Amino acid sequence: MRSNLGISYDGLKYALNIKESYLSGEPLTVTGAAKQQRLLMPEHLLSNDLALMQYDDPLALAVIATKDPESPMALAAAIRMGPHAKCKELITGVFEVVSDATKHELVADCAKLLSKNAFSPEAFHLVRTRASNHVVEIREAYRRAMAENLRALLDGKMAAREFVEEFIELASNGNLRIDIYRRLVMKLMRSDAVRPSVKFMLLERLDRFPQMVKLQIVNEVNSAPDTPEYQTLKQELRWIYETKQKQQAPAPAINAKPSQPSTTDILGRSQLDFGAAAGMHRRNSIIKPAEPTLKRNANPPIMSSGGFSSRELSSWLN
């Protein structure tokens, strides 16, 4: 319930949740079509045509404007907060605190410009235009940095691990659109010029990618032809999946009677030689099919190379 002052208990809860997301390094997401979680982007906050649920609360926007490490998101949040500050005296005071507390000089300048001009339409138009241009400038700068890193990697001037860490950091902090983010990752995975070790490291850091990018990576590897390189990538993916399943499995109760293993349990326990996952040699064992009573095909395209089914993907990624 929102008070006449412009604040609410829900708004406070949203603000605290966003603060926790920043502390834990979790990206801010918004629910899109078919209830899919998408990354919150500066364009979302700058659009007057989108209802963003909790992100429309002034306290939530104040947290983003002061806590987001990247200026495009912080600036967009401050601008979206402006109309709230114009209507409620208490939010006006919060907005002034935001202009002093933000770590980004551009955010402070735009917030002060809005306050000085009494949140006039002309002032909003000016800061929105500046924010849109700033988003484009920042993304271009991050893309140039990623291109330079790739060139250094291919020239042998940059270590694979350093490249992967910086790639993920640049892609995340650069507020790249999700389609661009996904396309960049896919180019790395498909390129013959990129060393396999880089692709293994990308798979190792799968949980740091946005959901849509993560799903694209898994599908790309899982459906790839059975070349030696992709066979080892599929096996690495299987190993990551099985490790994650073991971590998520509940601890067995003391004195509990052992239950009859289900088909899913049998599939989950299939062993993978780690040497094969690292590209040292092919796996000797073959993953058992989900239905033991059915006759196996001569050359199953996915399971024989270490991939796994869409049902398993869904249980892992969702």
Side-chain angles (χ1 to χ4, degrees):
M1 181 177 180
R2 185 179 296 279
S3 71
N4 291 332
L5 298 176
I7 61 174
S8 67
Y9 288 112
D10 285 342
L12 180 59
K13 181 179 68 176
Y14 298 149
L16 291 175
N17 288 340
I18 292 172
K19 182 179 179 181
E20 287 299 319
S21 295
Y22 282 123
L23 290 175
S24 63
E26 291 293 321
L28 301 181
T29 59
V30 62
T31 303
K35 296 185 179 180
Q36 286 187 342
Q37 292 297 312
R38 302 177 182 273
L39 288 180
L40 181 68
M41 307 297 284
E43 291 89 343
H44 298 153
L45 294 171
L46 291 173
S47 174
N48 291 325
D49 299 326
L50 293 178
L52 297 179
M53 307 299 289
Q54 70 267 31
Y55 298 117
D56 278 322
D57 189 275
L59 293 182
L61 293 169
V63 173
I64 298 174
T66 54
K67 294 293 184 182
D68 200 282
E70 299 303 318
S71 56
M73 282 288 290
L75 179 58
I79 293 172
R80 194 175 186 94
M81 184 183 174
H84 297 283
K86 179 181 180 180
C87 299
K88 299 293 182 179
E89 185 176 355
L90 177 60
I91 305 304
T92 302
V94 174
F95 191 77
E96 292 174 356
V97 172
V98 166
S99 67
D100 294 330
T102 182
K103 62 185 71 175
H104 304 291
E105 184 177 354
L106 180 59
V107 177
D109 290 343
C110 288
K112 291 174 181 177
L113 177 65
L114 287 174
S115 299
K116 182 179 180 180
N117 290 274
F119 303 98
S120 67
E122 294 79 12
F124 270 114
H125 176 72
L126 182 63
V127 295
R128 283 181 185 279
T129 301
R130 181 67 189 95
S132 297
N133 293 337
H134 183 61
V135 170
V136 174
E137 292 166 2
I138 290 295
R139 282 184 177 151
E140 183 59 32
Y142 275 93
R143 279 199 291 267
R144 285 198 303 268
M146 294 170 78
E148 291 172 1
N149 282 358
L150 179 58
R151 192 177 301 111
L153 174 73
L154 298 179
D155 291 342
K157 299 177 181 178
M158 191 174 197
R161 188 169 299 277
E162 181 184 3
F163 170 81
V164 171
E165 291 295 337
E166 290 201 13
F167 175 84
I168 295 174
E169 183 176 352
L170 289 170
S172 301
N173 295 341
N175 297 124
L176 295 181
R177 292 203 320 270
I178 200 69
D179 57 327
I180 296 176
Y181 198 151
R182 188 169 54 214
R183 190 159 59 245
L184 289 173
V185 175
M186 287 303 97
K187 284 184 177 180
L188 288 176
M189 297 297 294
R190 294 169 181 168
S191 175
D192 293 333
V194 175
R195 292 164 52 189
S197 60
V198 174
K199 301 174 185 180
F200 278 113
M201 291 177 190
L202 287 172
L203 292 182
E204 288 175 359
R205 289 151 181 78
L206 202 60
D207 284 339
R208 293 183 59 184
F209 289 100
Q211 180 73 2
M212 293 181 67
V213 177
K214 185 192 303 183
L215 184 60
Q216 183 74 21
I217 294 173
V218 173
N219 284 335
E220 171 74 16
V221 174
N222 205 35
S223 60
D226 289 337
T227 61
E229 179 182 340
Y230 271 110
Q231 284 177 349
T232 53
L233 288 175
K234 290 178 185 183
Q235 291 165 349
E236 173 74 0
L237 200 58
R238 160 62 72 179
W239 185 86
I240 294 171
Y241 169 75
E242 290 179 345
T243 301
K244 191 176 183 69
Q245 290 297 95
K246 290 176 182 177
Q247 293 172 349
Q248 293 176 347
I254 300 176
N255 298 328
K257 294 182 179 180
S259 59
Q260 185 69 20
S262 65
T263 301
T264 305
D265 293 332
I266 294 173
L267 183 59
R269 292 177 193 159
S270 56
Q271 296 298 312
L272 175 66
D273 186 341
F274 186 76
M280 299 300 294
H281 56 79
R282 290 180 60 106
R283 185 179 57 181
N284 294 322
S285 61
I286 298 178
I287 300 172
K288 296 180 181 180
E291 298 292 340
T293 58
L294 298 180
K295 185 177 181 180
R296 176 186 289 276
N297 292 330
N299 293 302
I302 295 178
M303 305 305 286
S304 64
S305 55
F308 40 96
S309 69
S310 58
R311 180 176 297 180
E312 290 177 312
L313 298 185
S314 178
S315 68
W316 181 25
L317 297 175
N318 296 328

